[in-house]
Structure formats: structure tokens, C-alpha cells
Amino acid sequence: MVNREFTVENDPRILFGKRLAKIRKELGWTQEGLAIESGIARSYLSGIERGKRNIALINIYKLAQTLKIPVKELVDI
Amino acid sequence: MVNREFTVENDPRILFGKRLAKIRKELGWTQEGLAIESGIARSYLSGIERGKRNIALINIYKLAQTLKIPVKELVDI
């Protein structure tokens, strides 16, 4: 879905995707490992990291729990 | 939708709803005012605050922007 409300610089999906990919790599997780452990489909996780998905709260929470970080750290966008 | 993964104590929808309602009131917003200003339907906002909705990132972002607080402060759950 095209969303004209945001630019590349301020689109929360893009900001979150970059943030997630950065933290995931820093903590030594592969995309596949994080997908399996969090119960989120690998293809969906890939879309989130590429800023293509409007991730909802429960999945944000699952990712934070799997990464063992506070939700607020993950959404520091 | 019933979600058996969470209890009342750790359901992120309930935690977020309480957090949003607390911050909204502290900052002097009515539910109606916040709905209008953020462009989120009043009934949907009510459902979010009651922990019935799995709010997605773009709406979290819009609420934080309207309340003029960082996203991470709003999702400090």
C-alpha cells in the first residue's frame, strides 16, 4: 500500500526496520534465527526490516522479548 | 480475537492501552480531542485504551507525534 503521508526520512516503518536490523546484528542474531525464535515468519521479518510492513504491537513485543531488550529500546525511532 | 498467549498482566495491548490513557490524561487531552487531532477514529482509540486493539506502528507514531512525546516514551510498557 502506498502511503503518501511519510517520506523516506520520517516513515516510521523504515525507521523501525533499520533500528531492528541494527539491534539484531549487534546482538548477534541472524534474521532466520530471530524469525524462528520469535515465531514471526522469516519473509515477514524481512519485510519489516526493509520498512515494507506496518508491524503491530504484539509482534514488536515478541521481537523485544526474543532479543531480551525493553520494547522502548526497540522502538527508539 | 482471543489471544491465549498473554495474561491480563502481560498482554502488550492492555499495557499499552493503560499507558496511553495515563499519558493522554496527564497531558490534558480528551479522548475525542486526541482522536480528531491524530486522525484516528474515536471508537478505535477507545478500543486501544481498553486493550482490545493490536495497534500498529504508524498509529503509535501518529499518537506520539500528536502528544508531542517520543515514541519510546509512549511504548514504555
Side-chain angles (χ1 to χ4, degrees), chain B residues 8-23:
Chain B
V8 173
E9 283 73 28
N10 75 354
D11 188 316
R13 293 164 297 192
I14 294 174
L15 298 174
F16 181 85
K18 286 183 178 174
R19 177 86 185 144
L20 172 60
K22 181 174 178 286
I23 290 177

Side-chain angles (χ1 to χ4, degrees), chain A residues 4-69:
Chain A
R4 302 195 189 285
E5 293 176 273
F6 301 109
T7 65
V8 173
E9 284 73 29
N10 76 355
D11 188 316
R13 291 164 298 191
I14 294 175
L15 297 175
F16 181 84
K18 287 182 177 172
R19 177 88 186 145
L20 173 60
K22 181 174 178 283
I23 290 177
R24 174 178 63 72
K25 289 169 192 168
E26 280 173 0
L27 295 176
W29 287 84
T30 62
Q31 213 176 56
E32 187 171 11
L34 181 57
I36 292 169
E37 196 68 18
S38 63
I40 294 171
R42 166 79 186 271
S43 59
Y44 190 72
L45 186 57
S46 171
I48 291 166
E49 290 196 353
R50 285 180 289 112
K52 300 295 183 191
R53 298 287 185 170
N54 185 21
I55 186 172
L57 186 64
I58 287 176
N59 280 336
I60 293 172
Y61 186 87
K62 285 180 180 174
L63 289 172
Q65 282 215 313
T66 305
L67 294 166
K68 296 185 172 57
I69 61 173

Side-chain angles (χ1 to χ4, degrees), chain B residues 2-77:
Chain B
V2 177
N3 188 318
R4 302 194 188 286
E5 294 175 272
F6 302 108
T7 65
V8 173
E9 283 73 28
N10 75 354
D11 188 316
R13 293 164 297 192
I14 294 174
L15 298 174
F16 181 85
K18 286 183 178 174
R19 177 86 185 144
L20 172 60
K22 181 174 178 286
I23 290 177
R24 174 179 61 74
K25 289 169 191 168
E26 281 174 359
L27 295 177
W29 288 83
T30 61
Q31 213 176 55
E32 188 172 9
L34 181 57
I36 292 168
E37 196 69 19
S38 64
I40 294 171
R42 165 82 186 269
S43 59
Y44 191 72
L45 186 58
S46 170
I48 291 165
E49 290 196 354
R50 286 180 288 113
K52 300 295 182 191
R53 298 286 184 171
N54 184 21
I55 186 172
L57 186 62
I58 286 175
N59 279 336
I60 293 172
Y61 185 87
K62 284 180 181 175
L63 288 172
Q65 282 216 314
T66 305
L67 294 166
K68 296 185 172 58
I69 61 172
V71 172
K72 69 177 174 181
E73 190 180 330
L74 185 56
V75 295
D76 186 8
I77 61 175

